[in-house]
Amino acid sequence: MKLSVIIVNYNVKFFLEQCLISVFNAIKGIDSEVFVVDNASADGSCQLVRERFPQVKLICNAKNTGFSYANNQAIRLAKGEYVLLLNPDTVVEEETFSKCIAFMDAHSEAGSLSVKMIDGKGRFLPESKRALPSPMVSFFKIFGFSKLFPRSRVFARYHLGHLSNDDINEIEILPGAFMFMRKRALDTVGLLDETFFMYGEDIDLSYRFLKAGFKNFYFPNTTIIHYKGESTKKGSINYVLIFYQAMIIFARKHFSRNNARLYTILIYLAIYFRAFLSLTRRMVERIYLPIIDTVLMALGFWAIPSFWERYWHHTENYYPDSAIGFMALFFILSTLFTLWFVGAFEKPQKAFAASKGVAISSMLLLIIYGLLPEGYRYSRVITLLSSVWAIVSVQFAHWAIGVFINGYFTAFRKKKKVSIVGKSAEAERVLSIVREAAFDFDFVGLISPSQNFDEREQIATIDQLTDFVRVNGVNEVIFCANDMASQDIISNMLQLVSTGVDYKIAPPDSLSVIGSNSIDTQGELYTVEISAISKPTNRRKKRIFDVIATFLLFVFTPFLLLFRPHRINLIKHALLVLVGRMTWVGYATMDNPELYNRLPKVARGVFPAFMPGHAPKTKEEAFRINLMYARSFKIQNDLLLFVKHFFA
């Protein structure tokens, strides 16, 4: 056998699907085998592989065993002359494997090679070629010298910036996303070191190839897409700790004692520095809008009474400070809650969420004002003016921040213009997915995947793509993989990389459209499984409903015991709902973990999501009921189901 392809997957089902489609297109005519090792994914990945790719040799682990261990499971079974470790968030060209095999056959000294990698927007990924991360090389990388001098042989050595991205060269370290290795070399140096749970194992194995006398090559004659960062959040503290701990393990294993000590000190400095930046950024992102809103509202309650005292009463200290302070505190706290409830702090911001939240709180303030004792009702005019000030100032502040901080606000952003490259039947299927994903866009037109017009609906050909994008102001191009070869998709992405257009790929017979806008961010995904219950606003509404219903249940417990004594067990459930362990309305029982994993996560329900007397008869029917409940979630439905089941 010539080639064994090994893919370790963890909770990236749709990316895995697209990856496998490209892999099976690339192994045509090659004596090969494909392994997928799943590390206890909770998104139905194993079921997807069994149903769509029965020819795959699937290993489903009961727990996340780590990247190295999972790869070793398949390597021990691999029969190929060459072994490829491939990330699930990649797309390979149809000729990628044949070109790699031809190069390795012609260079017996080669132990392994990497290829040219681009992100989902067609930009070159510098980790396609790397040097050994010695203490000095790592220092220049960690503290930004490599960015200041990206072509320097000294300062940019981490990513070998002095080497051309388009020339074949010997390198030291291969990327873990694509490691094409000679099995004989693997047998010589041994399997991946399982001390590395995630990250660092690629550096360790590449270095062991070099120490054993083999050469590692960068081979840019073929290009793959790598949707970088799908299994981890690159900006998270957990990522920083895992990545740098792997570097420490590598240093202690391969460096001299003094160098390892120096490297460890450097790494710990980097850990604390990155962790501090990450914590600070997250804290600022969470609290800066509420703080600005609080300051603006407090400013109104300070300035407006003073102005009104001088303008209307021609005196100072006319109104008691205690009354103004009480109303200001109540108004600010209630407004912050309503702003959170309506999603005014979410990103991207909704157009008028801020003014909506303040208006709700203002109406509540005016109602409370009318119920207060005479001593606290200092002035209805000031209360009204303070509310108007809050509505205007808070909304304006949210708009201003949204405009100047890119990506936070979409009210004034034009609709994204989308064009599809493919044939009309596949394009219509893709459009239905994008529409169901609640994505607001204008469809500009269909582009032929060839140099000729194949159908009447096509308004441009693939060789006119650049001009079409420029003339029509297209923001996003979706390629139909059913109608185009991967290498043609990648070739067109590379030609348009300077235009700033976003790209996505629609795998054939899939429920997803996949893309990535940045090498530093998680890839974008349009899928029909996007559901209403997953939206933060609806999750808040559901939680608030649970708390209010529980509170009312406790208040009316005596009546409950008097008229419906068989509902006494609800008291125990109510306590679990109150602490978030359960929810009043949840999924119908299916007794099938894989089907549950295909649904958005919801706490176990006290009552099921169907009307009394209409229980599903099969697990498939229960799944359809649950899917409908998740996709069309409304708080009114929870209320109706709660009442119906309560009085059943």
Side-chain angles (χ1 to χ4, degrees):
M1 184 174 289
K2 200 67 175 178
L3 175 64
S4 298
V5 180
I6 299 172
I7 303 170
V8 174
N9 176 72
Y10 180 64
N11 285 330
V12 285
K13 176 177 69 173
F14 292 111
F15 290 88
L16 173 65
E17 179 184 33
Q18 181 173 252
C19 176
L20 286 172
I21 290 171
S22 71
V23 165
F24 281 107
N25 286 332
I27 62 174
K28 290 178 180 178
I30 301 173
D31 186 16
S32 57
E33 59 185 354
V34 179
F35 292 88
V36 170
V37 186
D38 185 81
N39 269 339
S41 295
D43 64 349
S45 292
C46 286
Q47 183 181 20
L48 167 76
V49 174
R50 291 193 190 103
E51 292 177 353
R52 286 214 62 184
F53 308 98
Q55 66 273 49
V56 166
K57 297 180 179 180
L58 178 63
I59 301 173
C60 292
N61 291 323
K63 63 178 181 178
N64 189 348
T65 55
F67 185 78
S68 297
Y69 182 91
N71 272 303
N72 287 342
Q73 286 178 279
I75 292 173
R76 293 187 180 97
L77 303 174
K79 300 175 182 177
E81 179 184 347
Y82 299 108
V83 174
L84 169 64
L85 306 186
L86 184 67
N87 267 27
D89 56 344
T90 57
V91 177
V92 300
E93 294 180 328
E94 283 77 8
E95 297 180 357
T96 292
F97 299 158
S98 58
K99 287 182 177 180
C100 290
I101 290 171
F103 180 85
M104 295 290 281
D105 284 347
H107 296 78
S108 58
E109 75 279 14
S112 63
L113 65 76
S114 70
V115 297
K116 185 177 183 179
M117 298 192 302
I118 60 174
D119 70 354
K121 205 170 182 180
R123 295 176 297 195
F124 176 75
L125 289 175
E127 58 266 33
S128 301
K129 48 184 174 63
R130 289 184 294 171
L132 183 71
S134 65
M136 192 56 67
V137 169
S138 299
F139 175 83
F140 291 143
K141 170 67 169 61
I142 291 170
F143 291 98
F145 288 90
S146 59
K147 287 188 176 181
L148 291 175
F149 309 99
R151 301 298 177 189
S152 170
R153 184 182 295 271
V154 176
F155 296 116
R157 183 165 177 77
Y158 187 89
H159 286 135
L160 299 173
H162 62 287
L163 297 180
S164 170
N165 298 339
D166 301 313
D167 294 337
I168 298 174
N169 277 293
E170 289 186 35
I171 59 174
E172 293 172 338
I173 305 301
L174 278 71
F178 189 101
M179 299 185 74
F180 197 98
M181 303 171 291
R182 196 182 301 275
K183 185 63 159 58
R184 177 170 56 84
L186 263 177
D187 293 337
T188 301
V189 304
L191 300 176
L192 277 71
D193 188 342
E194 294 174 11
T195 308
F196 299 93
F197 181 84
M198 183 186 298
Y199 309 118
E201 68 291 319
D202 49 354
I203 300 175
D204 174 71
L205 186 57
S206 300
Y207 188 49
R208 283 191 278 142
F209 282 143
L210 296 177
K211 291 172 68 176
F214 295 99
K215 293 182 178 180
N216 300 328
F217 283 90
Y218 168 64
F219 181 68
N221 290 5
T222 183
T223 303
I224 71 168
I225 301 173
H226 180 206
Y227 299 106
K228 182 182 175 184
E230 292 313 317
S231 299
T232 56
K233 302 288 188 181
K234 295 295 185 183
S236 69
I237 297 175
N238 186 54
Y239 163 76
V240 171
L241 293 175
I242 294 175
F243 178 79
Y244 285 124
Q245 186 60 43
M247 296 299 97
I248 292 174
I249 295 172
F250 175 81
R252 289 174 177 170
K253 180 177 180 179
H254 293 292
F255 294 164
S256 65
R257 179 175 298 179
N258 289 336
N259 277 344
R261 186 179 296 114
L262 173 63
Y263 193 87
T264 301
I265 293 172
L266 177 65
I267 290 299
Y268 276 120
L269 285 174
I271 289 174
Y272 292 130
F273 179 68
R274 290 284 297 275
F276 172 76
L277 290 181
S278 182
L279 281 172
T280 303
R281 184 183 68 251
R282 289 189 173 201
M283 185 179 300
V284 170
E285 287 178 351
R286 286 178 179 272
I287 67 174
Y288 81 95
L289 268 178
I291 288 177
I292 291 173
D293 295 344
T294 299
V295 170
L296 288 173
M297 289 184 286
L299 181 63
F301 274 96
W302 169 76
I304 290 174
S306 299
F307 166 77
W308 194 251
E309 285 172 337
R310 291 192 297 270
Y311 173 78
W312 189 256
H313 298 286
H314 307 291
T315 185
E316 295 182 358
N317 301 320
Y318 182 84
Y319 300 112
D321 291 340
S322 58
I324 295 176
F326 171 79
M327 294 300 290
L329 180 63
F330 172 82
F331 181 72
I332 290 172
L333 292 178
S334 63
T335 301
L336 291 176
F337 174 79
T338 53
L339 288 170
W340 167 79
F341 181 75
V342 300
F345 301 137
E346 294 176 7
K347 296 179 288 187
Q349 293 179 24
K350 300 173 184 177
F352 295 98
S355 54
K356 179 181 177 181
V358 180
I360 293 173
S361 184
S362 298
M363 287 188 288
L364 182 62
L365 175 65
L366 291 172
I367 293 172
I368 297 296
Y369 179 88
L371 301 175
L372 288 175
E374 188 67 31
Y376 285 92
R377 284 187 284 172
Y378 56 94
S379 172
R380 193 181 300 273
V381 173
I382 291 179
T383 304
L384 184 61
L385 289 176
S386 299
S387 298
V388 172
W389 160 258
I391 292 174
V392 174
S393 63
V394 170
Q395 181 65 77
F396 180 79
H398 281 233
W399 279 351
I401 291 170
V403 169
F404 290 107
I405 300 179
N406 186 34
Y408 278 42
F409 187 64
T410 58
F412 302 131
R413 188 181 300 169
K414 294 180 180 179
K415 282 186 179 181
K416 185 177 287 187
K417 293 185 177 181
V418 175
S419 183
I420 295 180
V421 182
K423 297 184 177 180
S424 57
E426 182 68 1
E428 190 59 38
R429 185 186 70 84
V430 172
L431 278 173
S432 67
I433 293 174
V434 179
R435 290 189 184 107
E436 196 162 348
F439 170 49
D440 191 19
F441 69 99
D442 285 328
F443 178 55
V444 178
L446 182 64
I447 298 175
S448 170
S450 68
Q451 295 180 354
N452 302 308
F453 289 101
D454 303 317
E455 298 172 326
R456 185 176 59 182
E457 293 83 1
Q458 295 165 345
I459 60 177
T461 61
I462 192 67
D463 56 339
Q464 298 171 323
L465 180 59
T466 302
D467 290 337
F468 183 85
V469 165
R470 177 179 55 81
V471 171
N472 293 282
V474 174
N475 308 111
E476 181 169 289
V477 177
I478 300 177
F479 295 98
C480 297
N482 188 62
D483 303 325
M484 291 187 71
S486 295
Q487 60 196 43
D488 292 334
I489 293 174
I490 292 172
S491 174
N492 280 281
M493 288 172 61
L494 290 172
Q495 289 181 22
L496 288 174
V497 68
S498 61
T499 64
V501 175
D502 296 331
Y503 305 94
K504 287 184 175 58
I505 300 176
D509 302 320
S510 174
L511 297 178
S512 64
V513 178
I514 298 171
S516 180
N517 279 339
S518 169
I519 63 172
D520 301 314
T521 59
Q522 193 175 27
E524 289 186 344
L525 175 69
Y526 303 151
T527 167
V528 297
E529 292 189 0
I530 291 177
S531 52
I533 205 168
S534 298
K535 295 179 180 179
T537 300
N538 285 338
R539 287 194 175 275
R540 284 196 299 271
K541 290 179 180 178
K542 185 172 179 61
R543 180 60 185 151
I544 291 172
F545 169 78
D546 283 346
V547 172
I548 293 175
T550 303
F551 174 75
L552 293 175
L553 188 68
F554 286 147
V555 170
F556 293 104
T557 293
F559 300 97
L560 170 69
L561 296 178
L562 181 62
F563 296 105
R564 308 192 73 80
H566 65 286
R567 287 299 190 190
I568 186 62
N569 62 323
L570 287 183
I571 303 302
K572 179 184 70 175
H573 289 145
L575 293 173
L576 294 175
V577 171
L578 195 62
V579 299
R581 297 286 299 277
M582 295 185 73
T583 182
W584 281 116
V585 179
Y587 292 140
T589 303
M590 292 186 295
D591 295 326
N592 189 318
E594 286 195 352
L595 287 179
Y596 272 115
N597 290 334
R598 294 169 64 181
L599 296 166
K601 294 293 180 290
V602 174
R604 184 164 59 93
V606 178
F607 301 128
F610 56 82
M611 289 295 182
H614 294 81
K617 297 179 176 58
T618 65
K619 61 184 180 183
E620 288 77 15
E621 185 182 351
F623 174 74
R624 287 195 296 271
I625 290 173
N626 292 336
L627 183 61
M628 185 179 299
Y629 170 73
R631 290 176 61 182
S632 58
F633 172 82
K634 293 181 180 178
I635 200 65
Q636 302 95 303
N637 295 340
D638 267 24
L639 176 60
L640 178 62
L641 288 167
F642 177 85
V643 172
K644 290 289 186 180
H645 281 286
F646 184 84
F647 290 102

